[in-house]
Amino acid sequence: MKTNNTKALGTAPVGPLLLKLSIPAMAGMFMLSLYNVVDAFFVGRGVGALGIASVFISFPATLVIMAVSQTFGVGGASVIARALGAVRNDDASAALGTIMTSGLLCALVMTAFLMIFTRPLLLMLGANHEIIESSLTYADIIFIGTPVFFMMMVFNNLVRGEGNTRLSMLSMAISSGVNIALDPLFIFVFKWGLAGAAWATVIAQICALIWLLYYYFSGKSAVAVRLHCLRRISLPLLTQVISVGASAFVRQVGIAISWTVLNRIFADTGGAIGVAASGLVQRMLSLIIMPILGMGHGLLPLVGYNYGAKNYRRVLRGMGLANVASTAICFVCAIFLLIFPRELLALFSHDEALLASGVRGIVCVAAGLSFAGSQTMISTYYQGIGSARLAFFLSMLRPLLLHPPLALVLAELFGMNGAWASFTAADVLAFAISGAIYIRGRRELIQSELKA
């Protein structure tokens, strides 16, 4: 039986519906990106440019933790949603128990690995003699919190899969809020420096995880938590979860590889200051791109439902509005970045070398930013219509297939300026390729609409 929310996907005015679907997701994604920027702000003010580099150098490892957690979260959300839809509540509880137990065991194994190999891992990620010790100070504490961060991400995906985007958004808000409150206390009042920033992050994640656990163990979730399900890992269910979540894992690992390549390029061409400048620019960029991804999350059910219902006109209308809105947001943000690059960077640090490098980076990022919105919506469109291979290709196009190779080539030719220019080149090429693919797909959809 269709709920009113489901019916609205096929009947409500497309513009207001897209707005209603997108706003919570955009807010949640903004909170997630803000969460990552907060540490940089307080570390830059309290520790300095080398502290910023020390925080950013371990970020690819965090992305890998997210990748594995999303395998459980995204795959688990799909398995549980299908079980609930078929009114197989026992299967849903069994899946939840399997995800919680196997996910926690996986997180503990990852924690042990990270704690044992922290130094060689950071060296591989680009840490040099300037920042290796300070990077260890930060990473050792962050890696201790791996099980908390891992399970927080798993549960966030699971509650979103239930359709409870508000709870997911609130958990991110709790984490960001606690982090913002504790960072200045630990860094400036207690004088803990990078260790304070790391502990603030871990404690914030603990608070968010407690909120999510309360949701499940208080019986408010659509899925009951049963102790006997927690004691038993179902291999068939775990196989389903991993197979569905594998694409999310590969995408996130691709991004982690991209970050690692860029860290090493900027470390080689600009030292620790280069790493700090790259990290700051990319974190600032995430404040724009992550909400755009949230808009894609809102577009996805609209496209999927109406494509399945052969209501292609609504699909095209939704895509048109999403393309215009995402491009407009990116364009306005690009203009803002071009007008105030130095002022924005100065919020984090007054180091002249960092500011000089970062301003060049912001200009290059802003030059290609207007192309990013449409590319994201086109990738979402192919997810929505069920074209898994094309959606996967488009999601990997910029972060893995284009940007790292371009950065390597251009940095070899032009040094750090070439590395910065790779951001613009990757955005333009990704837009051209995805745009060409979508134009063909749109033409086919119009023909299908005319035949209907």
Side-chain angles (χ1 to χ4, degrees), residues 20-352:
K20 179 182 177 182
L21 292 170
S22 298
I23 291 297
M26 292 178 72
M29 296 299 276
F30 179 79
M31 292 291 180
L32 183 61
S33 58
L34 181 65
Y35 170 86
N36 288 322
V37 171
V38 166
D39 272 353
F41 174 79
F42 288 111
V43 167
R45 290 291 186 174
V47 182
L50 295 183
I52 294 174
S54 302
V55 169
F56 290 150
I57 206 72
S58 61
F59 190 61
T62 302
L63 289 174
V64 172
I65 297 169
M66 288 177 65
V68 181
S69 68
Q70 285 189 342
T71 305
F72 287 88
V74 173
S78 174
V79 171
I80 289 172
R82 281 182 280 128
L84 290 174
V87 200
R88 299 196 312 270
N89 294 336
D90 289 343
D91 288 349
S93 292
L96 179 62
T98 292
I99 293 162
M100 291 174 69
T101 303
S102 58
L104 181 58
L105 290 173
C106 182
L108 292 172
V109 170
M110 290 187 74
T111 304
F113 176 85
L114 291 169
M115 294 301 296
I116 293 170
F117 298 105
T118 306
R119 180 179 286 271
L121 177 63
L122 293 177
L123 291 171
M124 184 192 76
L125 294 176
N128 59 19
H129 68 279
E130 294 179 273
I131 59 171
I132 182 61
E133 295 304 324
S134 54
S135 298
L136 282 167
T137 298
Y138 183 81
D140 279 341
I141 297 167
I142 290 294
F143 291 163
I144 287 173
T146 295
V148 175
F149 178 60
F150 189 102
M151 296 308 294
M152 181 189 79
M153 296 302 298
V154 169
F155 286 125
N156 251 306
N157 280 284
L158 293 181
V159 298
R160 197 181 296 124
E162 288 184 26
N164 199 336
T165 55
R166 182 174 175 272
L167 181 71
S168 176
M169 180 185 71
L170 285 174
S171 71
M172 287 292 98
I174 289 170
S175 184
S176 296
V178 172
N179 204 6
I180 291 169
L182 293 182
D183 260 333
L185 180 67
F186 290 172
I187 294 173
F188 299 114
V189 179
F190 294 170
K191 307 294 184 183
W192 290 353
L194 285 171
W199 281 118
T201 299
V202 172
I203 292 170
Q205 292 167 355
I206 290 171
C207 292
L209 179 61
I210 290 171
W211 171 265
L212 292 163
L213 287 172
Y214 172 75
Y215 172 75
Y216 276 100
F217 283 94
S218 65
K220 294 183 178 181
S221 168
V223 187
V225 178
R226 295 173 180 167
L227 291 178
H228 71 274
C229 294
L230 294 173
R231 297 192 194 103
R232 179 176 175 273
I233 295 176
S234 168
L235 290 180
L237 284 173
L238 183 59
T239 302
Q240 285 186 55
V241 168
I242 292 173
S243 63
V244 174
S247 61
F249 170 80
V250 174
R251 280 196 297 272
Q252 199 71 35
V253 167
I255 296 170
I257 292 170
S258 177
W259 266 84
T260 302
V261 171
L262 289 169
N263 271 354
R264 293 195 66 87
I265 289 172
F266 280 100
D268 291 341
T269 57
I273 293 297
V275 174
S278 168
L280 273 184
V281 171
Q282 292 193 75
R283 290 289 175 89
M284 290 168 63
L285 180 62
S286 74
L287 288 173
I288 303 166
I289 295 300
M290 294 294 275
I292 295 298
L293 291 174
M295 184 182 294
H297 292 166
L299 176 66
L300 185 64
L302 192 156
V303 167
Y305 182 93
N306 288 287
Y307 185 84
K310 301 188 185 302
N311 195 344
Y312 302 129
R313 186 169 298 177
R314 287 177 64 83
V315 174
L316 292 169
R317 173 68 172 159
M319 272 298 293
L321 290 172
N323 276 325
V324 170
S326 60
T327 301
I329 292 170
C330 288
F331 178 76
V332 170
C333 291
I335 296 298
F336 187 77
L337 290 176
L338 287 170
I339 295 173
F340 303 109
R342 189 177 180 87
E343 291 80 359
L344 290 169
L345 286 168
L347 293 172
F348 299 88
S349 174
H350 294 297
D351 186 287
E352 284 299 325

